[in-house]
Amino acid sequence: MNIRLPKIVWVNIGLLVLFLFVLILPGEGGLSSFFRGGKPLGYSDQRAGIQLQNAFRNVYNSSKDSVVSIRTKKTEAITSPYQYFDYRTEKLSSFGSGFLIHEKGYVVTNFHVISDAESIEVIASDGSVFPAKFVGSHERADIALLKIKEGSGLKPVSFGDSDKIEVGDWAIAIGSPFGLERSFSVGVVSAKYREDLDETGQTHIQTDSMINPGSSGGPLLNIYGEVIGINRLIRSDSGRNTGIGFAIPMNYAKKIIQLIEENKGRIIRPATLGVMATVPLPDHRKALGIPADWKGVLVYDMDSGSSAESSGLKRYDFIMEANGVQVKNINDLREQVGIVGLGGRLKLRIYREKSLQELTVRLIQK
């Protein structure tokens, strides 16, 4: 039986064949020539840009097997908004970032990433998942140390000197924002020593690299692929990146990590010294016999029952060193108190009544 197609169908078939012929026709007459064109700009035109692009690729390739995603799980009660006493428990997951610092399987992240977690897993660059053990943490510094099995295939990071960074230096962040593993973003160091951002009182590196929820605990790298900071928080009204992120300087973080390792299994809690102190004025120096070129802070008051009072610190003591570190201002003293933490001991070098003395302060809960 012969089927006769309407004339319009034959016309459409003919147009389709013609269109396909034009599309694949070689040479300048076909649309295929649109996809064969040369590069708009050659290597000589873009030499500097290509070299920079290759530099970023090198940083990523050298770091990707050191950075991990961290998945935590904890049980939470879910309450119905429509009915009283209607609730259920669910094991919820959350994500953060971290990086390997030692071939024996030690991983660093933020304390707030693993806080209250019932289980912790580390996800490597090849997708391998490793259970992680809690080694210890420092709550105020917001740093935690985890351990996975040796031979994981991960590569320890290299550390840079965070004291040598300058505003305008490249700052590269790798992490898992919103659970998107090993996301790579590039920015610059926006400021070197941001203070008093929160209750920790510690200084931070400010950067415009893209840091978002889930990036916490990941490394901030320099152009050599060295870790100069631990990405920690952002300044934003919306909870999303607005170009202002902050990282814990690595030189400070290394002191904290060493302290955590010495106190395995412990969460180092925040502590206070309980003093009001300031850099003395010339009149104060003259009255107390403090040489003009000596650096330190003068105690002018203290809290009753505080660590300072209980350990014998007095008004008008001039604090010059804390745990062997020179105290130039109150932030230096606060930093050392924060490093030691609750229950620790702070060794002070003071000038009292025209004599140098050593004093050990035990940091207690007031």
Side-chain angles (χ1 to χ4, degrees):
M1 183 172 106
N2 294 329
I3 299 176
R4 299 186 63 184
L5 296 176
K7 190 173 182 180
I8 188 64
V9 174
W10 287 109
V11 171
N12 288 335
I13 291 174
L15 290 173
L16 179 60
V17 171
L18 179 61
F19 173 74
L20 293 174
F21 180 73
V22 171
L23 183 62
I24 64 175
L25 182 69
E28 297 303 320
L31 294 178
S32 59
S33 63
F34 294 160
F35 309 107
R36 296 199 311 268
K39 293 182 176 63
L41 297 171
Y43 177 81
S44 59
D45 300 313
Q46 292 297 91
R47 184 188 305 271
I50 292 169
Q51 290 175 342
L52 182 58
Q53 176 178 272
N54 289 336
F56 292 143
R57 288 178 178 177
N58 292 339
V59 171
Y60 178 76
N61 289 329
S62 70
S63 307
K64 63 182 177 65
D65 294 328
S66 305
V67 182
V68 298
S69 295
I70 295 177
R71 180 169 59 202
T72 63
K73 294 181 180 179
K74 62 180 177 181
T75 303
E76 290 190 3
I78 310 298
T79 305
S80 171
Y82 306 108
Q83 219 169 349
Y84 290 115
F85 308 111
D86 180 13
Y87 69 92
R88 65 186 187 279
T89 59
E90 285 189 7
K91 187 161 282 192
L92 304 179
S93 297
S94 60
F95 280 88
S97 306
F99 52 94
L100 192 79
I101 62 167
H102 197 281
E103 57 195 8
K104 288 189 176 181
Y106 288 100
V107 173
V108 166
T109 186
N110 287 142
F111 170 74
H112 75 260
V113 170
I114 56 90
S115 176
D116 300 324
E118 296 171 6
S119 66
I120 307 171
E121 294 177 325
V122 166
I123 305 171
S125 57
D126 63 358
S128 301
V129 180
F130 304 99
K133 294 181 180 180
F134 172 78
V135 176
S137 62
H138 194 298
E139 182 177 344
R140 186 161 191 161
D142 199 13
I143 296 175
L145 187 62
L146 310 175
K147 191 173 187 308
I148 60 174
K149 70 175 185 178
E150 294 184 48
S152 62
L154 293 169
K155 183 179 71 172
V157 297
S158 297
F159 295 111
D161 188 345
S162 58
D163 290 336
K164 292 184 177 179
I165 63 171
E166 297 294 341
V167 173
D169 286 356
W170 289 112
I172 300 164
I174 305 181
S176 303
F178 308 108
L180 301 172
E181 300 170 12
R182 283 168 302 285
S183 294
F184 183 91
S185 66
V186 176
V188 297
V189 173
S190 305
K192 291 175 62 173
Y193 302 116
R194 287 293 187 209
E195 298 178 348
D196 301 324
L197 295 173
D198 59 9
E199 69 282 354
T200 66
Q202 66 195 41
T203 61
H204 288 74
I205 300 168
Q206 182 180 326
T207 177
D208 63 353
S209 298
M210 294 298 288
I211 298 173
N212 275 298
S215 299
S216 294
L220 187 69
L221 308 165
N222 61 19
I223 197 62
Y224 304 106
E226 299 169 326
V227 179
I228 55 172
I230 304 173
N231 297 323
R232 179 171 179 255
L233 52 85
I234 60 175
R235 180 65 61 85
S236 170
D237 294 331
S238 66
R240 300 293 186 266
N241 188 284
T242 56
I244 304 176
F246 301 96
I248 304 167
M250 201 62 231
N251 287 6
Y252 172 77
K254 284 193 285 188
K255 298 175 187 176
I256 299 296
I257 293 166
Q258 183 177 357
L259 188 64
I260 292 172
E261 205 277 333
E262 293 169 357
N263 293 269
K264 288 182 179 178
R266 178 182 164 210
I267 298 176
I268 301 173
R269 302 292 184 185
T272 58
L273 185 58
V275 300
M276 280 64 81
T278 186
V279 176
L281 297 172
D283 288 346
H284 295 150
R285 289 181 181 271
K286 184 176 180 180
L288 297 170
I290 303 171
D293 59 343
W294 284 12
K295 295 186 182 302
V297 293
L298 183 67
V299 176
Y300 62 86
D301 204 357
M302 66 183 67
D303 296 333
S304 176
S306 64
S307 301
E309 185 183 66
S310 301
S311 299
L313 202 65
K314 298 180 179 180
R315 291 182 67 188
Y316 307 124
D317 282 347
F318 183 64
I319 301 174
M320 303 174 66
E321 291 182 4
N323 283 348
V325 177
Q326 186 181 64
V327 174
K328 300 183 294 296
N329 52 52
I330 190 62
N331 282 331
D332 290 340
L333 181 60
R334 186 185 300 152
E335 182 176 282
Q336 292 306 311
V337 172
I339 289 174
V340 172
L342 190 63
R345 296 181 184 276
L346 190 69
K347 294 180 180 180
L348 300 178
R349 187 166 184 253
I350 65 173
Y351 182 71
R352 175 191 293 173
E353 298 175 353
K354 300 184 179 181
S355 68
L356 293 171
Q357 301 181 26
E358 305 286 337
L359 182 68
T360 298
V361 177
R362 184 169 177 267
L363 298 175
I364 61 174
Q365 185 78 49
K366 181 181 174 182

